[in-house]
Amino acid sequence: MPEIRVTPLGAGQDVGRSCILVSIGGKNVMLDCGMHMGFNDDVDDELEIKAYYAGHVLGAAMFQIKVGSESVVYTGDYNMTPDRHLGAAWIDKCRPNLLITESTYATTIRDSKRCRERDFLKKVHEAVERGGKVLIPVFALGRAQELCILLETFWERMNLKAPIYFSTGLTEKANHYYKLFITWTNQKIRKTFVQRNMFEFKHIKAFDRAFADNPGPMVVFATPGMLHAGQSLQIFRKWAGNEKNMVIMPGYCVQGTVGHKILSGQRKLEMEGRQVLEVKMQVEYMSFSAHADAKGIMQLVGQAEPESVLLVHGEAKKMEFLKQKIEQEFRVSCYMPANGETVTLPTSPSIPVGISLGLLKREMAQGLLPDAKKPRLLHGTLIMKDSNFRLVSSEQALKELGLAEHQLRFTCRVHLHDPRKEQETAMRVYSHLKSVLKEHCVQHLPDGSVTVESILIQAAAHSEDPGTKVLLVSWTYQDEELGSHLTSLLKKGLPQAAS
Amino acid sequence: MQCAQIQINYYYVGLWTGHDFHSQFPSFATCSKELKECSGHVFVDSVPEFCLPETELIDLSTVDVILISNYHCMMALPYITEHTGFTGTVYATEPTVQIGRLLMEELVNFIERVPKAQSASLWKNKDIQRLLPSPLKDAVEVSTWRRCYTMQEVNSALSKIQLVGYSQKIELFGAVQVTPLSSGYALGSSNWIIQSHYEKVSYVSGSSLLTTHPQPMDQASLKNSDVLVLTGLTQIPTANPDGMVGEFCSNLALTVRNGGNVLVPCYPSGVIYDLLECLYQYIDSAGLSNIPFYFISPVANSSLEFSQIFAEWLCHNKQTKVYLPEPPFPHAELIQTNKLKHYPSLHGDFSSDFRQPCVVFTGHPSLRFGDVVHFMELWGKSSLNTVIFTEPDFSYLEALAPYQPLAMKCIYCPIDTRLNFIQVSKLLKEVQPLHVVCPEQYTQPPPAQSHRMDLMIDCQPPAMSYRRAEVLALPFKRRYEKIEIMPELADSLVPMEIKPGISLATVSAVLHTKDNKHVLQPPPRPTQPTGGKKRKRASDDIPDCKVLKPLLSGSIPVEQFVQALEKHGFSDIKVEDTAKGHIVLLQEAETLIQIEEDSTHIICDNDEMLRVRLRDLVLKFLQKF
């Protein structure tokens, strides 16, 4: 029994790490360990991989893996809402056997992006107005650029003077990447990049660690995004004690990180060396994460129309909720294996064969007839030679194999009580059959015989009994049904003549 | 101009589309208002007009798909999409569309600047045209020549294009799959595979095996083609592009060192990138560091910028650069260091920045319109200056004709990186198509060099050639199409090994066809006869879904057959020999069975049970098909 097997090695009910093993059609594919970008790569003769735009970060892609007629789509991280610098993820109605989707935000339904952005700008603006410092922990690529574009345009519009910094030397390099890979950004940026490169910021400058102690308001983008180490954490420790300051967490934080702690309301943090850090600064959370939310995940499932869905990346409880929702709405089975747990999906792939055009055309031509509504049977012979399967007409199969047809014919004698002459008997047979077999071609031939389709009926005198006539009904094996039907019909006798 | 059309599975796929460009330059008045004479040549004084691909022959509204090979091959697209009733889809790669847009934008811009309001039409009268000197009298289809399109039409045409990536498989109508492959000639340039499950046609147009800036040509995917349509070979088979680039650089350096200016009539994209890259490596060693390079085109800036963002369409070396991240083309550095400056036109900033001696890249390479016209007039009178022709599309002598007499030096360094005949032979040996189809002129040496038998396609079997407006029947017959057997049906099949390695199974199934995809499903279960009850009409028991009996093959060995009869309780069996076989008589049952090599005939009374028993006994000795 053919099947597809999926084993998450580092993404099952878990956020962050990602590594999934898929076995399909005898091929093993490991997902997420760095893939070469391209479109439709025939990796070998049978395995085919197609990339779709995922919108999560620059260059993010979803992959369709196909072997024969079986296929799996793996989304990786994706985002179904276009933003200021990336387009939305998109997939066609590819109907895979299995869709493996990330479900980081399995139960979140985000409010409109515009509201979130306005909220964000308002908070940053208020903090800066009151002379506070704003820390925005980010990862170097992705949301950082999105928020930079947002702030840059806001600063421009409001004519603000407070400095905006971007930590580490990454700014320039990251923006250079963005410029060279502009074809991966959204339509608007691509269209206008010759006139104006959105990633060349006027107001955003490179950050130096000494700046953190500068007096007055400022906004700093610093890495990493979950406040678990590095520059963002350093700045956080410096600024945490002042209630005028603010930290805005724009994305998901893994349990155990400082980011996660302050978001869950903790205000006293134990730092290394038993030191306790009191958080007086304002803590804000805004989901600018470029992951699909529950709505987006449902949307993608709807677009791709998979036969089943498998959830990875996420917390078990939330995934369970989404799983039920998917099963209800799309009536497909949904799985959420833990790391190391294998999901096996039996598949029943159809078998592609070559059909001779002659046979196909003959059938299609009949399909055009008025009574084509009825299901019709196609008859042929499947010739299997090595892995080459061809469906041809029986005649062609015989011919190809150099075999002669063996004709099997039956002739049945039907005795009929009828004292009239043979010709008259034949005539009566003809009228009877003509009236009964309306859907068949019944003919009376000049030599006195009657045909129904290709079945021949002749009337002869009985050698001993002049009151009996013998009907000879003759047909080939191919007309077996009709021939058999006719003999039983004639056995019942002919209706009495009206006279 | 390249335009080919292939019909496969009833769908028309148009391949192409460039346009020949014919236009004559205004100069000195002579006999009529339209015709002008200059240095013994006659010209038509008119707004430039364009010769379109053949559109009379086909109804473009029946074309389902247009596949674009490269940005030079889409210049006529607005004429097709905007004015012919064409409603199909156009496929092209992103660089093709973006750079194609730039080429069209430049063209429209140039033409709009031509002050002529009138199209000349009198000379197109066949009786007049016949009397005109060459090349006017030889111009084809002059009545169909058209004026340039507008930017609005360009935008509308381009909005109808579907973007595709290399190796992307595009399903058309469920019947055909088309795939663009890198052709190595220009950014995003493509060859196309058009295939069904059993036939494969490759369209090879404008391909290059040289290492320049684009991704190398994908040759491997062209293998196993039934037909390979070959077009867009180099226009200058005798010129070696590398040698030409060398000559270009040395002539440029020579002129500038002597205090002269260099004019390079060119398109705003393509070879110019390679030339700038060569100059980037060359100028310091040649002591040209202080010479300004000007690139003047309404799309100069866009072209230079766009070239840097198509990393995935570039050759390997350039691709690796963007991961550093560095711009893939060195002209970024030339611009940064002010060695290369670009301007939308020679008006405005250029006039104040302009320093001589200098090198100017500008269009149009036909010398009939665009800023190049002004530079020809400005520099034509001094022998210090040089015009260097690099674009192979136009005869430089014809291009220069209206400017004669000319003092400036003219250097002809056509750089055409497309396949030459040696490369074609190598390619065809490599990919081995069953048939090659190409324009007639590739199958014979050029008329001017009729002894050069090496300047033609040499392949086995000989290439099939076509002429303008000729319909060619491709020499292959479609025999098979793909059909899917549903798993339930496949399970029910009973294969039988008929010869070693060959198995057969008879198939009776329901055919479903949707969107040109065929599927075989198991036949519906036979409806159980409603036992004993009277039926209203005798015809009711004819099944809707008539089960046709298979064909039979084999022969009946009489002795074994008789044994079988005996085993099944028949006695009183008599066997008689006949001329062609035997007759088996069952005397008691008054039944006669004629057995011959290829036929069996059972003659019996109307005893269905008996007949069926005998039938089944006979069938045991035969194979079903």
Side-chain angles (χ1 to χ4, degrees), chain A residues 206-221:
Chain A
F207 181 72
D208 185 292
R209 73 168 59 187
F211 294 173
D213 298 321
N214 284 0
M218 66 174 83
V219 179
V220 175
F221 288 95

Side-chain angles (χ1 to χ4, degrees), chain A residues 195-236:
Chain A
Q195 290 78 44
R196 178 169 178 236
N197 183 355
M198 285 282 245
F199 298 104
E200 269 164 18
F201 301 115
K202 236 177 23 196
H203 297 273
I204 302 173
K205 308 266 172 353
F207 181 72
D208 185 292
R209 73 168 59 187
F211 294 173
D213 298 321
N214 284 0
M218 66 174 83
V219 179
V220 175
F221 288 95
T223 55
M226 300 190 196
L227 280 182
H228 52 282
Q231 199 155 37
S232 61
L233 187 59
Q234 275 175 25
I235 300 171
F236 173 75

Side-chain angles (χ1 to χ4, degrees), chain B residues 433-436 459-464:
Chain B
L434 286 184
H435 302 281
V436 175
C459 66
Q460 278 309 321
M464 302 178 59

Side-chain angles (χ1 to χ4, degrees), chain A residues 377, chain B residues 485-490 492 508-512 519-525:
Chain A
L377 284 188
Chain B
I485 296 185
M486 295 304 282
E488 311 87 70
L489 176 64
S492 73
S508 283
V510 180
L511 172 70
H512 285 275
V519 173
L520 281 182
Q521 291 183 339
R525 294 207 180 136

